[in-house]
Amino acid sequence: FIGGAGKSAMFPLHIWLPDAMEGPTPVSALIHAATMVVAGVYLVARMFPLFIEYAPGVLHIVAYVGAFTAFYAASVACVQSDIKRVLAFSTISQIGFMMVALGVCTSADPHEGGLGYMASMFHLFTHAMFKALLFLGAGSIIHAVHSNEMSAMGGLRKYMPVTHITFLIACLAISGIPPFSGFFSKDEILTACFRFSSTMGWIMTVIAGMTAFYMFRLYYGIFWAGSEPGQKSASGGLAPGQQSASDGSDSHVPHPHESPLAMTLPLMLLAVVTIVAGFIPFGHFISANGTTYSIHRDWSVAGTSIVAAVISIAIATYIYAGSRQPVANALARRFKGLWTAAYHRFYLDEAYQFVTHRIIFGCICRPIAWWDRHVVDGFFNFLAWSAEATSDEIRGLQSGRIQQYTFVFLLGTLALILLLLL
């Protein structure tokens, strides 16, 4: 379970994933769309029969850890200013949804308590589509403005219409707005959560609303906020008093342009897939026990999730759609401590640095290194010195002189005779 959590970037083993976004954006898209970050989800799903048969209680732990991971990552994503880090923490949160879906299963029969298994795999499938679209869209944006910071963006919808529309489609999909694919898979997860526990269902519904909020914060910060790219914007997540990454003086910022066809064609193809993938009867192909499952929409759950997403989008629109964004600035000042903590990922990276450098390296590794250097190495150096000193003392025995060898032989013979006589 721990290995799977690490591979799928579950809390608290998630810290590698945002740092992995430093590479080229197509690589980031591949990492998030392929099986690398969801390897833990696949591992738990692959071992699902063993969990159900021998350790059903462990699945509940998986659900609780997944729910906390989803909430934690969504909270951090709400204030990040680097667009790739927003998407990275979004991935962590969505993986939390997948783990929760697996954890709320109480049987392998999708008609009884195994709906979450199918929902998890369905969301893994749809997430690959719209998250690849989001990352490739981010790459197109970075190519246009030469910056990852939202403070260097704003108003790009006028310059990048294809990227704008495709990015919006992906944002609607991950927010759970019908008829985009994310709605269908996330709705099944929420249905499974409500069947497991109404508390879990409401918690995940709130987190789904947070997803819609931070994704449209990102969308407005890139394509709407500010009259021109490079204009300082509160949507970039800057703390009060923090300097913007761009002051508008960079020569390459004021004239962004749409990306070439080699970049926009994959965006359009993924946008089409994102729209239609939710209509695939996924339950006919994947279930925990191989039984065909026809998805029946629970509109009490679906309606609640849609309302939560729409309210969150409306709040994001109210706060971030304008050019000045006074509400965002006021909130950042009013809750400066909470904002700063979330921006620094609640200092979990610093905690790891302290534990590894101060405790493990300083208090454990350094004494071990001293012991290895002075005791272990000293012992073997003593053995080498002893062998060399001894060889220096006895090297004269191998002189190559026949007279000396004969003399020693005779002395030895005489010694043996005396020993036998005595």
Side-chain angles (χ1 to χ4, degrees), residues 181 196 214 244 246 287 355 361 380 411:
S181 59
F196 174 77
Y214 68 69
S244 171
S246 171
S287 67
V355 171
F361 294 163
F380 283 99
L411 286 179

Side-chain angles (χ1 to χ4, degrees), residues 71-94:
F71 176 75
Y72 164 82
S75 301
V76 174
C78 286
V79 299
Q80 294 299 300
S81 59
D82 184 320
I83 62 174
K84 291 181 71 175
R85 286 189 178 271
V86 174
L87 298 180
F89 279 100
S90 168
T91 297
I92 296 172
S93 183
Q94 297 307 302

Side-chain angles (χ1 to χ4, degrees), residues 108-230:
D109 188 346
H111 297 276
E112 294 181 0
L115 172 61
Y117 182 95
M118 185 279 297
S120 177
M121 296 298 99
F122 194 12
H123 198 57
L124 186 152
F125 172 73
T126 59
H127 175 264
M129 312 303 171
F130 55 71
K131 188 50 65 70
L133 176 55
L134 286 168
F135 267 103
L136 290 181
S140 177
I141 295 162
I142 294 169
H143 175 264
V145 301
H146 302 280
S147 175
N148 289 27
E149 292 294 324
M150 294 166 63
S151 57
M153 303 170 191
L156 292 181
R157 70 189 186 281
K158 297 179 292 184
Y159 305 93
M160 309 178 69
V162 175
T163 302
H164 169 226
I165 295 300
T166 54
F167 199 91
L168 176 60
I169 290 172
C171 288
L172 291 170
I174 195 174
S175 299
I177 300 298
F180 303 99
S181 59
F183 162 74
F184 296 95
S185 58
K186 188 173 289 187
D187 178 66
E188 294 305 305
I189 292 178
L190 295 178
T191 301
C193 289
F194 273 106
R195 288 186 182 181
F196 174 77
S197 164
S198 59
T199 301
M200 181 66 78
W202 284 112
I203 289 173
M204 299 312 295
T205 300
V206 170
I207 299 173
M210 294 174 66
T211 302
F213 174 80
Y214 68 69
M215 286 308 304
F216 272 84
R217 168 185 175 270
L218 178 66
Y219 165 74
Y220 286 120
I222 295 171
F223 296 104
W224 289 80
S227 58
E228 292 290 341

